[in-house]
């Protein structure tokens, strides 16, 4: 019973960490003329960032986290939630506006957009390269 209660608490912490950025985004002031899709894209980016951040905690092999679920289940969850995080980030990128297709003309983008393109490409490379433990 104790492991079940710990598991429920850890799932709650996981969901809380993933959704917490949305609470902070709601507290912020929206820019005038910024539509629903821009706000939705920002929200997806925040959730994707939180998912990617919590990925580090999942593979840190913290005994308190692994105990209720087992290390193998935590590692499998880490793999699967990585794809969910990637989907959030790619959807965020796609909804960023018509400037997404301008990413191919990197020299004309502002520096923040250049680094965003570089980060998404690095994330894609990370996702397709095999891990040492999976070989």
């Amino acid at each position: 019973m104790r492991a079940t209660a710990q598991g429920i608490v850890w799932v709650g912490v996981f969901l809380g960490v993933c959704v917490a950025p949305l609470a902070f985004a709601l507290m912020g002031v929206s820019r005038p003329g910024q539509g629903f899709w821009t706000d939705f894209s920002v929200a997806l980016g925040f959730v994707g960032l939180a998912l990617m951040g919590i990925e580090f905690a999942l593979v840190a092999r913290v005994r308190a986290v692994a105990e209720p679920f087992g290390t193998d289940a935590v590692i499998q969850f880490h793999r699967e939630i990585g794809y969910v995080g990637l989907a959030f980030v790619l959807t965020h990128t796609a909804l960023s506006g018509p400037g997404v297709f301008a990413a191919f003309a990197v020299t004309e983008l502002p520096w923040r957009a250049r680094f965003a393109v570089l980060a998404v490409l690095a994330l894609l490379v990370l996702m397709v390269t095999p891990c040492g433990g999976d070989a």
Side-chain angles (χ1 to χ4, degrees):
M1 182 66 174
R2 183 171 180 253
T4 304
Q6 284 179 333
I8 291 170
V9 167
W10 281 116
V11 168
V13 168
F14 175 80
L15 291 174
V17 167
C18 291
V19 177
L22 296 178
F24 291 113
L26 287 174
M27 287 187 257
V29 178
S30 181
R31 287 186 252 165
Q34 187 168 304
F36 167 78
W37 290 109
T38 302
D39 288 339
F40 185 63
S41 171
V42 170
L44 290 175
F46 278 139
V47 173
L49 179 65
L51 282 171
M52 294 296 166
I54 205 164
E55 288 286 313
F56 291 110
L58 288 176
V59 294
R61 298 182 190 236
V62 177
R63 182 170 291 185
V65 175
E67 188 176 291
F69 307 106
T71 304
D72 291 339
V74 170
I75 296 299
Q76 182 64 31
F77 182 72
H78 165 79
R79 284 189 196 115
E80 292 173 9
I81 208 68
Y83 293 118
V84 174
L86 177 67
F88 272 99
V89 170
L90 292 178
T91 307
H92 161 74
T93 305
L95 291 177
S96 293
V100 171
F101 299 106
F104 297 106
V106 178
T107 57
E108 298 177 17
L109 292 175
W111 279 102
R112 63 183 168 84
R114 291 179 191 184
F115 284 117
V117 170
L118 182 64
V120 170
L121 291 175
L123 181 62
L124 288 171
V125 167
L126 179 67
M127 293 296 286
V128 298
T129 50
C131 297
D134 293 341

